């Protein structure tokens, strides 16, 4: 019998840890806490219930995206399968993640507003006179993350793709070019 899928709304606790298998597959691990709420009929109000701790594991592209996106304190919505319950924690193999928009705004690479959108426009200025912002330069490959010589460090393709921008690699892959993580 296949494990059932569960949905969790919780807060990321601590930093996301990423490691790579010998074949270069990304695996990340992070912790979530979820505070349940219970209706107190006597007091006629909601009360915080017990704290539930999750240890989440994600693989491949989801691991890469989670490592780049999640930080301590961010509320997320996770979908996955319970693999184990031990040490007062529920172990969850995550299939999908989303940032909760209940308390914040999340921007993607394609939804970021242009800096020109915030610039004041004088009544005499035309739309053509508002200069488009220059494209942001990608960060140097060694600007973040462990050095390639450390044990458990990401493979060279990880830093190369990270420096050039993930979205550009996806476009090349869909055009038929070979990808460093093809078949994973």
């Amino acid at each position: 019998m296949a494990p059932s899928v569960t949905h969790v709304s919780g807060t990321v606790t601590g930093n996301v840890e990423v490691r790579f298998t010998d074949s270069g597959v990304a695996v990340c691990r992070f912790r979530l806490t979820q505070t349940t709420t219970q209706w107190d009929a006597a007091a006629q109000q909601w009360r915080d219930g017990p704290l539930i701790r999750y240890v989440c594991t994600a693989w491949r592209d989801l691991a890469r995206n989670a490592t780049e996106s999640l930080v301590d304190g961010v509320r997320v919505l996770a979908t996955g399968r319970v693999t184990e319950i031990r040490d007062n924690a529920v172990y969850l193999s995550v299939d999908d993640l989303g940032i909760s928009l209940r308390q914040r705004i999340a921007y993607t690479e394609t939804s970021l507003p242009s800096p020109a959108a915030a610039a004041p426009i004088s009544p005499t200025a035309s739309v053509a006179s508002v200069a488009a912002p220059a494209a942001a330069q990608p960060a140097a490959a060694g600007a973040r993350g462990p050095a390639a010589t450390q044990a458990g460090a990401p493979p060279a393709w990880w830093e190369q793709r990270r420096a050039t921008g993930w979205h550009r690699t996806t476009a090349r892959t869909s055009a038929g070019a070979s990808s460093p993580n093809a078949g994973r």
Side-chain angles (χ1 to χ4, degrees):
M1 182 165 121
S4 61
V5 174
T6 187
H7 306 280
V8 176
S9 174
T11 304
V12 175
T13 306
N15 294 323
V16 178
E17 304 166 4
V18 65
R19 293 196 168 82
F20 296 87
T21 64
D22 292 337
S23 60
V25 175
V27 181
C28 81
R29 186 175 181 175
F30 58 96
R31 298 180 188 282
L32 290 180
T33 55
Q34 178 184 33
T35 304
T36 59
T37 55
Q38 298 171 337
W39 178 252
D40 183 351
Q44 293 292 307
Q45 65 182 11
W46 288 96
R47 297 211 186 265
D48 286 344
L51 184 71
I52 302 172
R53 291 177 175 83
Y54 293 89
V55 178
C56 301
T57 304
W59 293 79
R60 296 177 179 78
D61 287 340
L62 182 58
R64 180 193 72 200
N65 295 339
T67 302
E68 294 290 327
S69 303
L70 300 181
V71 294
D72 185 31
V74 170
R75 289 190 49 83
V76 297
L77 307 169
T79 301
R81 291 161 277 115
V82 174
T83 58
E84 189 175 6
I85 300 174
R86 68 176 162 90
D87 303 330
N88 268 345
V90 177
Y91 286 74
L92 189 69
S93 178
V94 178
D95 296 322
D96 203 5
L97 276 170
I99 305 273
S100 173
L101 301 179
R102 184 178 297 252
Q103 298 172 341
R104 70 178 58 225
I105 297 172
Y107 291 105
T108 64
E109 290 177 354
T110 56
S111 71
L112 282 174
S114 164
I121 299 177
S122 67
T124 59
S126 68
V127 174
S129 67
V130 177
Q137 296 297 323
R144 279 178 45 184
T149 59
Q150 293 179 350
W157 62 263
W158 173 276
E159 291 297 336
Q160 181 183 21
R161 286 181 60 189
R162 182 179 190 184
T164 59
W166 299 109
H167 64 284
R168 292 186 208 120
T169 305
T170 305
R172 274 187 278 155
T173 303
S174 63
S178 63
S179 173
N181 64 347
R184 294 187 187 142

